[in-house]
Amino acid sequence: MERRQIAPRIGALASVITAVVAAAPFVLVDGNTQLLAAYYGSGPVGLTAVVAFTLVGAVGFASGERGNVDPEAMAGGLVVLGVVVVGLVGLWWASIDETVLYSFPSGYRWIEWHPVAVFIAAIAVLVAAGVYARSVLE
């Protein structure tokens, strides 16, 4: 398989993984609704918007090669989406109040590493979008 066929599949997978990783505390943390609300609401738009953007990205990656839209336009849009997602995750991560992040019960200490995991997953979306755009423009 060549890059043009693999990149959108990897991009769609990276987008879904980013959404799942971002939504993990919402599913895995029992109770603590106020802490979760403060955690997800940090930053200019919060983490919930990132989940929505990455799911839109998954659809975009799938649409580009299925002939539903112009691949060149979709590739450019996906690069922009990747930059926006990485930027929003970075802003969200920087905006999390430390008292919120470190106030979860000891059974949920993994959440301290959650912003790092979301950021790495978001970078994967951006890289996949860049590889896809390059393969489309070749």
Side-chain angles (χ1 to χ4, degrees), residues 60-61 64-65 69-84 125-126 128-137:
F61 277 110
E65 287 303 305
V69 295
D70 179 41
E72 289 86 8
M74 184 54 73
L78 288 169
V79 169
V80 171
L81 182 102
V83 169
V84 167
V125 173
L126 177 58
V131 170
Y132 176 59
R134 182 162 174 94
S135 68
V136 166
L137 296 175

Side-chain angles (χ1 to χ4, degrees), residues 74-99:
M74 184 54 73
L78 288 169
V79 169
V80 171
L81 182 102
V83 169
V84 167
V85 167
V86 168
L88 289 177
V89 169
L91 285 172
W92 165 76
W93 184 8
S95 300
I96 299 172
D97 187 8
E98 288 185 11
T99 57

Side-chain angles (χ1 to χ4, degrees), residues 90-126:
L91 285 172
W92 165 76
W93 184 8
S95 300
I96 299 172
D97 187 8
E98 288 185 11
T99 57
V100 170
L101 186 61
Y102 297 113
S103 293
F104 284 90
S106 62
Y108 301 115
R109 288 290 172 217
W110 56 266
I111 206 162
E112 295 171 9
W113 291 99
H114 181 251
V116 177
V118 176
F119 191 75
I120 291 169
I123 288 174
V125 173
L126 177 58

